[in-house]
């Protein structure tokens, strides 16, 4: 790879929006790559891990931060080197001669760690782990400020005030910046300009969690494979005789459809552990190893449904010759009359005074919890967001959980007090988490509804929400009774597909992007070399809001602020995974909050938005503001009497710091 290509890839991975990296930042990144012999993608993975560990914004690639990162890599390498050094035995102590090793013996030295230290034999020393809470690092000589100088007496970085946050209101990234940023209206609209229509069946989400038998759950997984067999057959115009079982020995080339799996429950998927799991109808439910050596490039993850063309000539492995494309769901489209009605709604309804005027674009804000920092329950980021939504009179505010996070240190310990102004109206003996929501979160939403009565507020729960008794994903909406929510607020399920005027909106609060990034296997030259686009494409191709199975071990997920820092993970209810499928068409807008850097990207005509978290553990986060301009019916191309929405062409998305 040439130097120009490397710099371009560095800007793609580390750049923020349309801004290119500064020359000294690129030079520092290239220095780290040469020093540790890393590719750009490996360097980005290590950078993200470092940012999560130090709780800093991955999008801020300042030179000083990169130098801290470089020193951290050096310290880690040095510790790993020291951990493999054995201590020499003391002089004057006789040691028992050890028999020489022979070929085929203890090749990896595994027996050494199982022997009991005796006279003349030194025990293996395991270096002490530095407590994660201190995060004390050796600073480089060029850094004028030492991290240790920022620590308080307990060894913890003191919390900073939300009002003292840096770069408040800064735009991190803009998608479709050629579209102008509209001026906010001078007054709120007289009525809501949004018509909501649910595409998902919310009643089915009210199932009894973790109640299905294992046999019933396995049928759900089997049915998903069989459904894709029919789709591949129609898409590639294949005969039924072209399909077969990858586990059956044959010299004939066949098409095998199955689920990617690993031969081990531990460790990351790799080329040697790659398996194809068949359905009971197509292959008796057997698993067969995959030989992918003939492929120029591939990208797999556990749970992925794939269609592979190849042969199993020896009965032991299926040699893959080609990966067949999976058909995508059709693009969303509407009739001209329907789009015309939505345009009129943007003008103010059928009774609008000037029905021929240009309609004001639709404004929607997306944000994701947590909504307060780890050291308080003031919910200052949520208050600031509601103030912003009230100032610019947005049409909709879409909030995904967690709202009251079970991983919040104060919530987990129960060591907190409600504001004094509410104590007179609260009975301590009957107070619940619904009471906490009513007095800490609902007031901000009620003030927003009073300032902008025409707004639509959508709340989507998370499996980390304390007040939701439905603990598994897919997840039912939490009851709004006793929460004190305004009438304009609606609580919906997780995930949910709905129409907001003509816009087909898909939302899931589960952080699937981080888990896909952690579990994917990339070989050769993949079709999509860029990380974030790959993860988004998986969702669209698999037609599912959480196609990964099994989910990532929760110990490998980003640390939380409670106890050992291990969160609840995905909490999948396998028997109801079908409720996580996309409905009928590709979403125009797909909102998938993640701990990965926030972004807005177009993947297969789908506008994918990760607004980031509104509040980080010790600092402020980001949100996304989407402005959708009305379609030009005169220029729209009709297909069978329908007009494609093409939201990705007429939506301006800004990722903004709160």
């Amino acid at each position: 790879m040439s130097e120009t290509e490397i710099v371009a890839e560095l800007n793609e991975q580390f750049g923020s929006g349309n801004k290119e990296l500064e020359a000294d930042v690129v030079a520092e990144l290239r220095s780290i790559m040469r020093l540790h012999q890393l590719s750009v993608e490996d360097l980005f993975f290590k950078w993200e891990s470092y940012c999560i560990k130090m709780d800093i914004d991955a999008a801020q690639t300042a030179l000083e931060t990169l130098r801290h990162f470089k020193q951290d890599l050096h310290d880690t390498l040095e510790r790993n080197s020291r951990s493999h050094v054995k201590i020499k035995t003391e002089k004057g102590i006789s040691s028992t001669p050890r028999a020489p090793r022979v070929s085929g013996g203890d090749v990896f030295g595994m027996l050494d760690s199982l022997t009991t230290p005796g006279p003349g034999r030194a025990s293996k020393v395991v270096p002490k782990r530095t407590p994660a809470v201190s995060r004390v690092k050796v600073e480089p000589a060029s850094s004028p400020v030492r991290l240790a100088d920022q620590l308080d007496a307990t060894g913890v970085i003191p919390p900073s005030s939300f009002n003292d946050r840096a770069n408040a209101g800064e735009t991190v990234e803009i998608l479709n910046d050629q579209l102008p940023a509209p001026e906010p209206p001078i007054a709120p609209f007289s009525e809501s300009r949004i018509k909501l229509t649910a595409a998902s069946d919310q009643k089915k989400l009210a199932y009894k969690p973790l109640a299905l038998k294992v046999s019933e759950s396995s049928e759900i997984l089997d049915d998903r494979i069989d459904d894709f067999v029919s789709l591949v057959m129609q898409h590639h115009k294949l005969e039924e005789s072209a399909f077969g079982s990858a586990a059956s020995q044959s010299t004939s080339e066949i098409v095998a459809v199955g689920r990617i799996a690993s031969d081990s429950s531990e460790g990351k998927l790799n080329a040697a552990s790659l398996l194809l799991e068949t359905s009971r109808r197509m292959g008796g439910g057997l698993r067969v190893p995959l030989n992918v050596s003939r492929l120029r490039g591939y990208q797999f993850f556990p749970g992925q449904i794939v269609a592979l063309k190849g042969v199993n000539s020896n009965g032991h492995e299926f040699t893959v010759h080609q990966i067949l494309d999976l058909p995508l769901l059709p693009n969303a489209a509407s009739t001209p009359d329907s789009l015309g009605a939505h345009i009129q709604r943007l003008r103010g309804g059928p009774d609008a005074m000037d029905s021929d005027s240009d309609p004001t674009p639709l404004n929607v804000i997306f944000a994701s919890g947590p909504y307060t920092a780890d050291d308080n329950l003031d919910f200052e980021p949520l208050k600031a967001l509601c103030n912003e939504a009230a100032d610019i009179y947005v049409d909709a505010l879409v909030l995904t959980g967690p709202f009251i996070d079970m991983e919040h240190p104060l919530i987990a310990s129960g060591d907190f007090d409600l504001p004094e102004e509410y104590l007179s109206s609260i009975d301590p003996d009957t107070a619940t988490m619904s009471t906490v929501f009513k007095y800490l979160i609902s007031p901000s939403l009620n003030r927003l509804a009073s300032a902008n009565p025409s707004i639509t507020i959508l709340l989507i729960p998370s499996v980390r929400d304390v007040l939701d008794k439905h603990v598994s994903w897919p997840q039912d909406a939490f009851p709004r009774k006793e929460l004190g929510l305004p009438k304009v607020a609606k609580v919906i399920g997780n995930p949910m597909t709905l129409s907001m005027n003509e816009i087909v909106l898909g939302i899931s609060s589960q952080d699937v992007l981080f888990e896909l990034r952690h579990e994917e296997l990339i070989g050769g030259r993949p079709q999509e070399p860029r990380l974030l686009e790959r993860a988004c494409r998986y969702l669209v191709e698999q037609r599912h809001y959480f196609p990964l199975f099994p989910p990532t071990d929760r110990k490998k997920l980003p640390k939380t602020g409670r106890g050992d820092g291990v969160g609840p993970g995905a909490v999948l209810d396998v028997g109801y995974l079908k409720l996580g499928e996309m409905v009928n068409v590709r979403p125009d807008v797909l909102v998938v909050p993640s701990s990965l850097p926030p972004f807005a990207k177009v993947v297969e005509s789908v506008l994918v938005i990760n607004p980031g978290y509104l509040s980080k553990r010790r600092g402020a986060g980001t949100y996304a503001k989407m402005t959708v301009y009305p379609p030009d019916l005169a220029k729209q191309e009709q297909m069978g009497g329908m007009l494609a929405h093409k939201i990705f062409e007429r939506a301006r998305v800004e990722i903004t710091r709160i």
Side-chain angles (χ1 to χ4, degrees):
M1 184 180 294
S2 67
E3 185 69 21
T4 304
E5 292 174 331
I6 293 176
V7 173
E9 191 171 352
L10 285 173
N11 276 289
E12 173 67 30
Q13 297 283 17
F14 291 87
S16 176
N18 299 324
K19 302 177 182 177
E20 292 191 354
L21 299 175
E22 297 179 1
D24 53 353
V25 171
V26 173
E28 189 68 23
L29 291 172
R30 293 289 290 122
S31 173
I32 299 172
M33 290 174 61
R34 287 191 295 268
L35 185 62
H36 296 277
Q37 298 181 347
L38 298 172
S39 65
V40 175
E41 188 173 42
D42 290 339
L43 177 64
F44 183 67
F45 287 164
K46 291 184 180 294
W47 167 247
E48 281 191 325
S49 299
Y50 174 77
C51 291
I52 292 172
K53 178 176 68 174
M54 301 302 295
D55 198 11
I56 58 179
D57 189 354
Q60 293 299 305
T61 51
L63 184 59
E64 183 179 350
T65 309
L66 287 176
R67 287 171 178 167
H68 289 299
F69 169 55
K70 184 177 183 180
Q71 184 65 35
D72 182 73
L73 289 178
H74 176 74
D75 294 343
T76 302
L77 181 63
E78 198 173 63
R79 284 196 301 270
N80 292 339
S81 301
R82 286 199 302 265
S83 65
H84 293 292
V85 177
K86 296 183 179 180
I87 298 178
K88 295 182 179 180
T89 57
E90 296 182 5
K91 293 182 179 180
I93 302 179
S94 60
S95 59
T96 306
R98 183 179 296 179
R101 290 181 180 173
V102 295
S103 177
D106 184 20
V107 179
F108 298 102
M110 296 174 65
L111 298 180
D112 292 349
S113 62
L114 301 179
T115 55
T116 303
R121 180 179 297 165
S123 61
K124 199 175 216 178
V125 175
V126 180
K128 294 182 178 180
R129 296 177 63 86
T130 305
V133 70
S134 64
R135 296 178 178 170
V136 177
K137 301 293 178 185
V138 178
E139 297 295 293
S142 59
S143 176
V145 181
R146 294 179 57 84
L147 183 60
D149 297 335
Q150 304 175 24
L151 304 180
D152 61 16
T154 61
V156 180
I157 298 177
S160 58
S161 170
F162 178 77
N163 294 327
D164 296 335
R165 65 194 186 280
N167 304 319
E170 178 190 13
T171 300
V172 177
E173 179 179 340
I174 302 177
L175 178 72
N176 288 335
D177 57 355
Q178 75 277 6
L179 298 174
E183 291 292 329
I186 59 176
F189 295 97
S190 58
E191 61 181 28
S192 175
R193 302 196 304 154
I194 287 180
K195 179 182 178 181
L196 288 178
T197 307
S200 301
D201 190 347
Q202 181 141 333
K203 293 182 179 179
K204 291 183 178 180
L205 290 173
Y207 64 88
K208 187 177 180 180
L210 308 175
L212 278 185
K213 299 178 181 178
V214 174
S215 58
E216 294 173 327
S217 299
S218 66
E219 289 176 2
I220 297 296
L221 297 175
D222 266 5
D223 290 344
R224 181 163 166 78
I225 297 176
D226 293 338
D227 289 344
F228 270 89
V229 172
S230 302
L231 294 172
V232 171
M233 188 183 303
Q234 296 173 9
H235 180 67
H236 292 279
K237 300 179 180 180
L238 299 172
E239 298 293 333
E240 190 172 354
S241 58
F243 294 83
S245 171
S248 300
Q249 182 176 4
S250 173
T251 56
S252 301
E253 187 179 65
I254 63 167
V255 175
V257 179
R259 177 180 292 104
I260 294 295
S262 175
D263 65 0
S264 173
S265 60
E266 299 180 355
K268 189 177 178 181
L269 187 69
N270 57 66
S273 65
L274 203 56
L275 299 178
L276 184 70
E277 179 183 291
T278 62
S279 68
R280 280 174 287 191
R281 184 173 73 87
M282 295 297 296
L286 297 175
R287 289 182 169 188
V288 59
L290 292 179
N291 183 343
V292 293
S293 59
R294 296 191 180 185
L295 297 178
R296 293 185 59 188
Y298 53 85
Q299 45 199 48
F300 295 128
F301 63 88
Q304 180 183 10
I305 307 299
V306 293
L308 307 175
K309 182 179 287 187
V311 63
N312 185 350
S313 56
N314 57 14
H316 300 298
E317 65 179 17
F318 186 76
T319 302
V320 183
H321 299 159
Q322 181 185 356
I323 302 175
L324 300 183
D325 295 332
L326 297 180
L328 303 178
L329 285 168
N331 284 315
S334 299
T335 62
D337 291 342
S338 177
L339 288 178
H342 293 315
I343 293 174
Q344 188 62 30
R345 186 175 291 107
L346 294 181
R347 292 192 177 103
D351 300 329
M353 296 181 61
D354 190 358
S355 60
D356 295 328
S357 62
D358 292 334
T360 305
L362 196 72
N363 286 310
V364 183
I365 284 181
F366 300 101
S368 177
Y371 293 98
T372 188
D374 274 4
D375 62 321
N376 66 76
L377 289 175
D378 296 333
F379 289 92
E380 293 172 302
L382 178 63
K383 295 174 183 176
L385 181 71
C386 290
N387 290 337
E388 173 67 15
D391 290 341
I392 63 176
Y393 299 115
V394 296
D395 294 287
L397 175 64
V398 181
L399 304 176
T400 63
F403 296 95
I404 301 180
D405 189 2
M406 67 171 65
E407 301 303 316
H408 192 287
L410 298 180
I411 295 295
S413 65
D415 185 16
F416 65 92
D417 296 317
L418 291 174
E420 293 183 2
E421 59 265 28
Y422 301 130
L423 295 181
S424 59
S425 57
I426 298 174
D427 182 359
D429 296 331
T430 60
T432 63
M433 284 300 166
S434 297
T435 309
V436 176
F437 188 101
K438 179 178 180 179
Y439 289 103
L440 296 185
I441 295 179
S442 293
S444 298
L445 301 179
N446 279 289
R447 284 192 294 269
L448 171 60
S450 298
N452 185 7
S454 63
I455 193 173
T456 298
I457 302 175
L458 296 181
L459 307 179
I460 300 93
S462 162
V463 294
R464 286 170 53 168
D465 269 308
V466 173
L467 53 85
D468 198 348
K469 296 180 180 179
H470 200 288
V471 297
S472 58
W473 191 96
Q475 185 178 19
D476 192 16
F478 52 78
R480 58 177 295 152
K481 187 180 179 181
E482 300 179 354
L483 297 182
L485 289 169
K487 291 183 179 180
V488 295
K490 296 175 175 59
V491 185
I492 60 178
N494 174 32
M496 178 59 65
T497 303
L498 67 152
S499 293
M500 186 179 290
N501 291 351
E502 81 276 18
I503 305 169
V504 178
L505 177 64
I507 315 171
S508 174
S509 65
Q510 197 65 40
D511 188 356
V512 64
L513 298 182
F514 180 90
E515 298 196 32
L516 285 171
R517 189 215 68 170
H518 187 276
E519 298 294 338
E520 68 174 345
L521 168 64
I522 304 298
R525 295 183 178 180
Q527 294 179 345
E528 178 53 75
R530 292 168 293 188
L531 167 67
L532 296 177
E533 281 83 348
R534 280 201 312 268
C536 298
R537 193 179 302 276
Y538 293 147
L539 303 182
V540 178
E541 288 180 347
Q542 297 293 303
R543 308 176 173 207
H544 205 281
Y545 291 102
F546 199 97
L548 182 69
F549 184 81
T552 302
D553 183 353
R554 61 197 188 100
K555 295 180 181 178
K556 300 176 182 178
L557 298 177
K559 297 298 182 182
T560 65
R562 182 183 71 163
D564 58 1
V566 179
V571 201
L572 297 185
D573 198 321
V574 180
Y576 292 93
L577 285 182
K578 193 171 182 63
L579 298 177
E581 293 180 350
M582 297 177 184
V583 182
N584 300 328
V585 296
R586 267 177 275 174
D588 291 315
V589 180
L590 179 59
V591 180
V592 277
S594 174
S595 58
L596 296 180
F599 63 83
K601 297 184 180 297
V602 178
V603 178
E604 297 291 354
S605 303
V606 178
L607 173 54
V608 186
I609 300 175
N610 168 24
Y613 296 156
L614 191 67
S615 178
K616 299 183 179 180
R617 290 177 57 187
R618 287 197 308 272
T622 57
Y623 65 94
K625 182 170 63 175
M626 179 178 72
T627 303
V628 182
Y629 286 82
D632 188 344
L633 298 182
K635 297 181 180 179
Q636 293 285 96
E637 296 181 4
Q638 290 197 29
M639 298 181 62
M642 305 288 282
L643 298 177
H645 295 166
K646 295 187 177 180
I647 300 297
F648 63 92
E649 291 183 349
R650 50 190 177 94
R652 173 188 172 99
V653 182
E654 301 176 17
I655 306 296
T656 308
R657 300 185 190 278
I658 187 61

